[in-house]
Structures are given as C-alpha cells and as structure tokens.
Amino acid sequence: MMEKKLTVLCASAHPDDIELQCSGTLIRYVKEGHKVFMAIACTGNVGSKLHTLEEIEALRAVEAQRGADVIGAELIMMGHKDADVWLNHPNWIEYVDLIRRTNPDVIITHERDDYVHDHSNVGELVYRAAIWASVANIPECKYEPIDHIPTVFYFEPLGMTRVAPPDHYVDISEEFEQKLEAFKMHETQHGDYLEKQFGV
C-alpha cells in the first residue's frame, strides 16, 4: 500500500464509461485511502431507444451518482450534450479549471485514439490541459494554478484495436465484484441500449 495519499481524477465522456473501463482501479485507490474524483463530460442524453432526451438525462444523472457511490468517488457532472465535446478554447479552459479545482496527482482518461469523438476529445482536452493547470496568467480560468503537473494515464478503449498495446495492468481481482456492482447501477444501459446498439 502506498504511503502518500494521492488525489486521482478520472475524466470520461459519458455516464458508465468509467464503470466499464477503469472502476476497478479507482476502487483500489479508494480502498487504499486515496481521494478519487469522477468527472463526466456528457449527460448521456442519446443513450436510449426508449426514453426522451429529458427522461434519459435525468435517469442517467441518478445512475452516475449511484455508480460513483459504489466506487466511493466524488462525482462531477460537466453538463455537455452527447456528441458535443469539441476541441475548442472554451472546453480547454473548462478542463484546465477542472484539473485546478480537483488538484490531482494522477489523471486517468480516454485514449486519444478512441472510437467515439466525445471519448477521444475528452482524452485530448485532458492531456492538453494537464500541463497548463500549473501555469499562471490564463485570464479565463476561475481557479488558481496548481503547483505540479499531474501524471496522465489512459484506460483501455472498448471495441477497437489500440494504436499501441497497453503498457501497464492493474490487478483488480479483489475489486472485480464491486466493479460489476458499480456498472449495474447504470440500469438504462442494460438490455435495451448497450446490447442492441453496440453488441456489448
């Protein structure tokens, strides 16, 4: 177990991305006494073939909080619509401020070559914001610079061949059942959506 207590920021595009892709690692961090934030860019408003935009947004916000509660993380919902995360200056500033606000030692996010542009753009924005979070004199920022540059890791994408193979694995044998429990909190995505839309 690590002696120094860390702050970890996991930044994803949609509700359930984190639970699917790296919640076991986050659960390990929490179990070892580290502080974990989960920042979700989008509301998940297209994630249903049964509900309206407003209905699914409300349902997925509740599911995201339940998933974070199972993991033991603090949830930050950023409020973008699905498919509306673009590489632009306002979004970059938002991620600089996210990193300043949470002051993480470690950031985990999407691979920058992921298969959905919300995913890859979140990964790119986080990567490009991480160094600038420690830089002074960015007038649009709401938060003060942090005193270090966080280390950025990417979690394994789903449904594609990665450009480079993973270079690090985390043993989540003891956390796997809790990871499944966190994913089960996303009830709207089971049966109707993930299976029919993506075959997952």
Side-chain angles (χ1 to χ4, degrees):
M1 182 178 292
M2 186 178 296
E3 291 296 324
K4 180 190 175 189
K5 296 310 177 190
L6 304 175
T7 298
V8 179
L9 169 63
C10 188
S12 77
H14 309 105
D16 82 16
D17 289 339
I18 291 172
E19 286 82 351
L20 272 170
Q21 294 173 271
C22 71
S23 59
T25 299
L26 299 185
I27 291 163
R28 273 197 65 170
Y29 273 121
V30 172
K31 283 168 64 175
E32 293 180 6
H34 307 293
K35 173 67 178 175
V36 174
F37 292 95
M38 291 169 50
I40 301 174
C42 301
T43 64
N45 63 285
V46 305
S48 179
K49 295 180 180 296
L50 301 174
H51 300 285
T52 67
L53 181 158
E54 293 80 12
E55 289 170 344
I56 195 62
E57 276 188 341
L59 289 167
R60 298 198 75 188
V62 171
E63 292 172 347
Q65 186 60 64
R66 289 176 178 164
D69 289 344
V70 171
I71 292 166
E74 182 175 328
L75 179 66
I76 300 169
M77 296 294 285
M78 300 176 77
H80 294 270
K81 301 299 184 186
D82 287 7
D84 202 26
V85 179
W86 300 105
L87 300 178
N88 58 39
H89 188 73
N91 286 345
W92 174 73
I93 289 292
E94 184 178 21
Y95 277 91
V96 173
D97 266 337
L98 172 68
I99 295 168
R100 290 180 174 196
R101 171 185 168 188
T102 56
N103 195 16
D105 301 286
V106 173
I107 302 173
I108 307 174
T109 191
H110 291 281
E111 167 66 51
R112 291 150 66 205
D113 294 308
D114 209 323
Y115 67 105
V116 173
H117 75 266
D118 283 339
H119 293 192
S120 57
N121 288 347
V122 166
E124 183 70 18
L125 287 162
V126 168
Y127 177 75
R128 297 298 173 188
I131 190 169
W132 292 94
S134 63
V135 174
N137 301 326
I138 303 175
E140 303 97 325
C141 285
K142 299 174 185 174
Y143 295 88
E144 293 297 315
I146 60 177
D147 65 359
H148 63 283
I149 300 170
T151 301
V152 179
F153 294 97
Y154 301 110
F155 48 71
E156 182 72 7
L158 297 173
M160 64 168 284
T161 302
R162 194 170 176 161
V163 174
D167 55 17
H168 187 74
Y169 293 87
V170 177
D171 182 356
I172 61 164
S173 302
E174 294 182 11
E175 293 74 34
F176 188 69
E177 290 303 317
Q178 192 174 342
K179 173 188 172 87
L180 290 180
E181 188 62 26
F183 181 60
K184 286 177 184 176
M185 297 299 103
H186 295 271
E187 295 177 5
T188 62
Q189 302 306 287
H190 300 299
D192 169 61
Y193 192 70
L194 285 176
E195 285 86 344
K196 291 180 181 177
Q197 184 76 11
F198 297 107
V200 175

